[in-house]
Amino acid sequence: MQNPFGRAEPDPRPRAEPSPGPRAEPEAGRRAAPGSAPGSGPGSGPGSGPGSGRRAAGLLRSLLAVVLGALPVLAFPVPGLWWWAYVALVPWLLLVRTAPGVRRAALDGWCGGIGFLVAMHHWLLPSVHVFLLVMAVLLGLLWLPWGVLVRALLGGAPTPARAAAALCAVPSGWLLIELVRSWEGLGGPWGLLGASQWEVPAALRLASVGGVWLVSLLVVAVNTALVLLIAVPGLRAVGVAGLAACAVMAGTVAWGVGAPRPSGTVRVAMVQPGVHGGTDGAERRLARAEELTRGLAGQRLDLVVWGESGVGRDPAADPALTARLTALARTVGAPLLVNVDARRADRPGIYKSALLFAPDGPTGDRYDKMRLVPFGEYVPARGLLGWATSVGKAAEEDRRRGTAPVVMRLPGGERPLTVGPLVCFESAFPDMSRRLAWDGADLIAVQSATSTFQRSWAPAQHASLAALRAAETGRPVVHATLTGISAAYGPDGRRVGPPVGTDASTAVVRELPLSESTTVYARWGDWPLYGAFVVIGAVCAAAGAGAFRRTGAGRPGRRARTVRG
């Protein structure tokens, strides 16, 4: 007899004596039939034992985790199903919470992270080849402790305290993963979950308060609350409370935090030559950009912006080129912001630099790109990984880095305007645009080139990042490229005018509202990240004190001996 606590109780009934007749041997003790090989019975062949079955089930579960981890990518451009982000993590979370052990939960988190990274960066395959998988496997390790956290707080039959902690800790854990992988050396902040909400006005208002980080926090919190609703019937009230709290926070910010107050306008032209590749590509880009810029004459412009690498040699070492660019600025009657990808005349090495030319000559302002694309513009640990140049499109020579951001003052106009340039990949970093706004930039200009990935999701994803940077800083942002997509955004993050597609070769003018308002994010910075550290620290301390220890899983007692044994 077994009592309710798992211990064996003696059976009060008299035990029957065993029969004197022949006794059947246990299955495991039977001898093999004459002429048969040991282990030749049914189901005893190689790879057919219980161990191989467990391995096959584990492999299938890992593959499922990879697929489920890839689901959130559908919320980003090009699919652009922004609403999908609020449910995309639910299947992955449900899988992790059912893990039979801590190791399995960690593995589910790791495999899901691999799937997310491969899906998010799949367009890099033509350039980095096998390095994409290596990167995904290594960076996927960041989700390993997250899987353990999810199982600890959502697994089994969570108590109300564990469920409430999960609503705060699971999103905070995800946010810390985004923080770590946002380091430039690990690939940068591409694919932050909050960036999928770039077209949602309420999300843009949230970004003005806590940056893209606060939007990511809200998205993961909604997914966590849905898991409580679906998988834990006894705690549906906690899930409903979590959803209500997210709705109240988003609604309060959307209606309580106003859009930046306008303070005038600025007319900016974006020149997209639509030319790339070929041995003479740099000269053809320059010629086409000149032609398109001349067509802007007489349109009362404040600034003309060219895309990244629009000029293939340093004007400081070429007086004729300096004269051409100065004459072009004089023709349109506005300063010209160009981007040079060449060896500098005054120091060794190749730099990507933003230079400003006024109608009366170069202003002397120069910004050298500070954060470079791994493998695209430099090879990390080239002595060890230099062979990557032979299997992909990795940089043959490392670009050099700039040392400081630059805010440029535009000459002319009724009042002096200032522009803060960023080069391509740098628009993914929230802190860089925030620094420019803090240093006094009225306008942020992103000079980009995604020509290598022309037929992929990359151009649309890159252009969408400017919307978040505009909302975070309260400053208009223009995203000018060589081959598209070029777009402009007002200080509230909403797009102004239609985007210029990847097949276009044109110049467009956008009149953008200016604002002198200072957003909460511009003033206080990455405070959601600090809050995430506090939450995770508190949860770890509580777990160490036994606050989240599972109950109701008593230690199994010894099995009672019976007549049949």
Side-chain angles (χ1 to χ4, degrees), residues 21 54 60 181 193 195 199 214 252 332 371 401 423-424 429 447 451 470 479 482 485 487 490 513 516 523 544 553 562:
R54 286 193 296 269
L60 288 176
R181 71 183 186 89
L193 199 56
E199 286 184 295
L214 186 58
T252 301
V332 296
R371 295 182 181 172
R401 301 173 187 273
V423 182
C424 199
F429 294 86
Q447 297 175 299
S451 307
H479 181 88
L482 282 181
I485 295 172
E516 296 179 353
R523 184 179 300 276
T562 63

Side-chain angles (χ1 to χ4, degrees), residues 44-74:
S44 60
S48 61
S52 62
R54 286 193 296 269
R55 286 193 295 271
L59 178 60
L60 288 176
R61 185 182 177 104
S62 297
L63 292 175
L64 178 61
V66 170
V67 173
L68 297 183
L71 292 180
V73 76
L74 299 177

Side-chain angles (χ1 to χ4, degrees), residues 33 90 130 169 198 221 245 252 265 278 325 340 354 365 385 393 411 413 441 445 474 494 565:
V90 170
V130 68
W198 67 281
T252 301
T265 59
L325 295 174
V340 178
D365 290 324
L385 302 176
K393 298 178 181 178
R494 300 195 188 198

